[in-house]
Amino acid sequence: MSSSGGGSSSKPRSASFQPSETSSKRKRGVFQKELQHMMYGFGDDPNPLPESVALMEDIVVEYVTELVHKAQDIGSQRGKLSVEDFLYLIRKDLPKLNRSTELLSMNEELKQARKVFESDEEKLRNVFEVDEPVE
C-alpha cells in the first residue's frame, strides 16, 4: 500500500473493501498521522497515499469496534466490562497478549511512581511551609 504503484496484486483491495455501517457514520481522519507513521515503520512510503491511509483507518476502527463489542458481550454476563475481557479475547494471539500485559504492567508502575512523586512533593511543600518564617 505505497504511493509508488507499479506492483501487481492478485486482489484489488480497495475495490473489494466495503466500509461498514459504523465506519460511514464516524468522523474520518482521526488517526491519519499515527497510521501514516505506523505504515512507514512497517515499510511503506514515508507519505502513503491518502486512500491507503483511509483504508487502513477503516480496517483498524472496524477491528477495534468488533473487539469492543465482543468484550461487551463477555462483560455483560458479569455486569461490567473489564480489562480481563479484552485479554481473554486476544489470549490466542500471543504477541498481542504479551504486549498488552507488558503495557498494563508498565501503566501500573507509572501509577505507583506518580503516587510516590505526589506524596514526596506534598511532604516537601509542607517542610518548606513550616521552615519559612511568617512576617
Side-chain angles (χ1 to χ4, degrees):
M1 284 189 224
S2 83
S3 60
S4 59
S8 65
S9 175
S10 61
K11 287 195 258 182
R13 287 188 161 179
S14 60
S16 64
F17 180 77
Q18 295 296 322
S20 71
E21 191 176 310
T22 57
S23 68
S24 62
K25 293 179 184 177
R26 69 177 177 78
K27 183 178 175 185
R28 293 186 176 271
V30 176
F31 305 110
Q32 184 175 2
K33 279 290 179 198
E34 292 83 0
L35 283 170
Q36 283 179 340
H37 293 299
M38 289 176 70
M39 289 169 69
Y40 178 62
F42 281 100
D44 203 340
D45 192 72
N47 296 307
L49 291 172
E51 295 86 3
S52 298
V53 178
L55 177 63
M56 287 298 297
E57 184 176 29
D58 286 342
I59 292 169
V60 168
V61 169
E62 178 117 1
Y63 172 76
V64 171
T65 302
E66 286 179 18
L67 192 69
V68 169
H69 284 230
K70 289 176 185 176
Q72 283 178 325
D73 291 342
I74 293 169
S76 67
Q77 296 170 359
R78 284 190 325 277
K80 67 177 186 173
L81 185 62
S82 71
V83 173
E84 285 75 24
D85 298 329
F86 290 97
L87 295 176
Y88 176 77
L89 287 172
I90 61 172
R91 71 190 181 280
K92 294 181 182 176
D93 189 345
L94 288 180
K96 280 183 196 165
L97 182 63
N98 291 336
R99 181 67 173 147
S100 298
T101 53
E102 177 186 355
L103 290 172
L104 286 168
S105 66
M106 199 179 312
N107 188 39
E108 280 302 313
E109 287 178 30
L110 287 171
K111 280 182 186 177
Q112 295 299 323
R114 276 191 214 105
K115 186 187 261 186
V116 168
F117 179 76
E118 288 171 0
S119 67
D120 287 348
E121 189 177 74
E122 185 66 32
K123 287 177 187 175
L124 284 173
R125 190 177 299 123
N126 290 338
V127 166
F128 285 116
E129 287 175 359
V130 171
D131 288 343
E132 292 179 7
V134 179
E135 295 177 20

